[in-house]
Amino acid sequence: MPAKRSPARRPTMKDIAQRAGVSESAVSFALNDRPGVSEVTRDRVRRVAEQLGWRPSTAARQLSGEGTATVGLVLARPADTLGVDSFFLQLISGIQEVLAERHLGLLFQVVEDVDDECAVYRRWWAEHRVDGVMAVDPRTDDPRPGLLDELGLPAVVIGGAPDARHPGLSTVWADDAGAMASVVGRLHELGHRRIVHIAGLPGLAHTERRIRTLRAEADRRGLTEVRSVTTDYSDAQGAAVTRRVLEAASPPTALVYDNDVMAVAGVAAATELGFSVPGDVSVVAWEDSALCRMVKPWLSALSRDTVEFGRTAAKELTSLLDGGPARAVGVPVPELIERDSTGPCGA
């Protein structure tokens, strides 16, 4: 049997002291920005620490009250839908960019539902696992902001509307209502009167905002054949709902999907049924991505900088960790990019 390898030895403050020719207490003062050593000594100690690859241990940071250098992100969604959702991949990419600049780690967990998510927050708080969290997918009746407020855990709610009931939490929000209004307005200009919105998960605040806006815009224009159908965001349900609505006696002439994956699946389902896009039915995807430009016809889509959305959320959280005030920050309204999948109503 091969011999078991010993783990690599981590450099310690004693190693730094020996290399720099100073006492261990001087190393501690220098690395923790405390008085008691000269600037020359402080610079020398830091150079040696960098050369040796020394980093403060998480346990030591917790004992000294300096935090964990880690923030948390929990997703309460079906795990099998996350791998095909470009929004979260881009959002996390933007978050990670900012955290990397600050040498902060990201503790990521997927759970079944919001109750499990709240349990994770309580455990992380009790165990001092994270310094702060980012909460996504705000609900219409959401227990998480109140819990995070109660725990005193610095938090940023991503995608929710500003909430005066929880002034200690920051919010980074997008104008879903304005985006939906622009889509309905453009489809109405193209002559479409029968529109189906193939929405995401029911109960999510942004899903409900889009549904309400669709109804309001339809009422304002006197459109009686406009409705929303909720799904789990998957390609399977996107295709299934597309088939169901197109096989109705009075099929829609325009379909609005809450993500790019469902839109692509919907185009395939419509084509299988003999509908041409956009000749018989126009298609709009909510999230623009490379996927929208990899199918024929290219999909019209609502475009936004999701990576920047993630960066903004992470910056707001690091600001809270630095002692800054909680804020509500809006990101630009998604812009409708018209491509080959939308056109004048042919019905």
Side-chain angles (χ1 to χ4, degrees):
M1 294 290 290
K4 185 178 179 180
R5 290 184 60 186
S6 299
R9 179 177 173 277
R10 297 182 180 91
T12 65
M13 285 192 178
K14 183 177 181 179
D15 297 326
I16 298 170
Q18 291 176 345
R19 176 78 66 87
V22 297
S23 66
E24 289 185 51
S25 59
V27 170
S28 177
F29 291 150
L31 295 178
N32 291 296
D33 278 329
R34 293 173 181 163
V37 294
S38 68
E39 286 305 312
V40 173
T41 300
R42 194 184 306 276
D43 290 342
R44 183 166 73 253
V45 167
R46 287 176 174 172
R47 284 198 305 273
V48 170
E50 186 67 28
Q51 291 166 2
L52 293 176
W54 178 88
R55 294 291 182 272
S57 74
T58 300
R61 290 177 61 91
Q62 291 174 343
L63 289 171
S64 64
E66 295 177 9
T68 66
T70 303
V71 300
L73 175 65
V74 183
L75 295 184
R77 279 198 181 191
D80 58 356
T81 67
L82 296 176
V84 295
D85 195 330
S86 64
F87 172 81
F88 278 114
L89 297 177
Q90 294 179 63
L91 183 78
I92 293 173
S93 176
I95 289 171
Q96 187 58 40
E97 280 187 28
V98 174
L99 298 184
E101 292 171 359
R102 294 284 299 263
H103 303 292
L104 294 173
L106 178 64
L107 183 56
F108 178 68
Q109 190 162 340
V110 178
V111 296
E112 288 293 324
D113 52 35
V114 171
D115 288 340
D116 287 345
E117 183 175 344
C118 289
V120 169
Y121 292 146
R122 290 189 183 95
R123 185 172 69 253
W124 283 353
W125 172 80
E127 296 174 355
H128 303 280
R129 295 286 298 278
V130 297
D131 297 330
V133 299
M134 286 167 281
V136 298
D137 285 342
R139 268 64 174 178
T140 51
D141 186 14
D142 201 330
R144 295 173 300 168
L147 172 63
L148 294 169
D149 231 358
E150 176 189 330
L151 297 176
L153 197 58
V156 174
V157 179
I158 302 174
D163 189 346
R165 295 173 300 173
H166 306 289
L169 306 183
S170 285
T171 302
V172 177
W173 62 283
D175 186 2
D176 293 287
M180 178 60 85
S182 71
V183 171
V184 176
R186 180 55 182 150
L187 291 175
H188 186 264
E189 289 174 359
L190 291 170
H192 296 280
R193 302 296 181 264
R194 299 197 302 273
I195 304 169
V196 172
H197 167 216
I198 300 179
L201 289 166
L204 297 184
H206 67 263
T207 300
E208 299 302 325
R209 282 198 299 269
R210 295 173 191 180
I211 291 173
R212 285 197 305 270
T213 303
L214 180 74
R215 290 173 181 163
E217 292 296 314
D219 291 343
R220 189 165 69 84
R221 292 175 167 83
L223 306 179
T224 59
E225 297 182 85
V226 174
R227 62 191 177 103
S228 297
V229 182
T230 57
T231 70
D232 66 356
Y233 286 109
S234 70
D235 57 331
Q237 287 202 11
V241 172
T242 301
R243 294 189 191 97
R244 188 166 74 243
V245 300
L246 290 180
E247 289 175 334
S250 182
T253 65
L255 298 169
V256 181
Y257 294 85
D258 261 6
N259 71 9
D260 51 349
V261 172
M262 291 198 297
V264 170
V267 169
T271 302
E272 289 172 3
L273 292 175
F275 287 78
S276 73
V277 178
D280 298 318
V281 60
S282 286
V283 170
V284 177
W286 196 274
E287 297 293 342
D288 193 15
S289 72
L291 195 58
C292 295
R293 302 180 296 279
M294 294 173 67
V295 295
K296 293 293 184 180
W298 281 18
L299 299 184
S300 298
L302 282 161
S303 178
R304 61 178 166 186
D305 190 343
T306 306
V307 174
E308 183 59 30
F309 199 180
R311 290 191 199 103
T312 301
K315 287 175 182 176
E316 290 305 310
L317 182 56
T318 57
S319 175
L320 288 177
L321 298 180
D322 290 339
R327 304 194 309 161
V329 179
V331 297
V333 179
E335 177 188 1
L336 178 60
I337 306 297
E338 293 192 65
R339 300 191 180 103
D340 300 334
S341 68
T342 50
C345 178

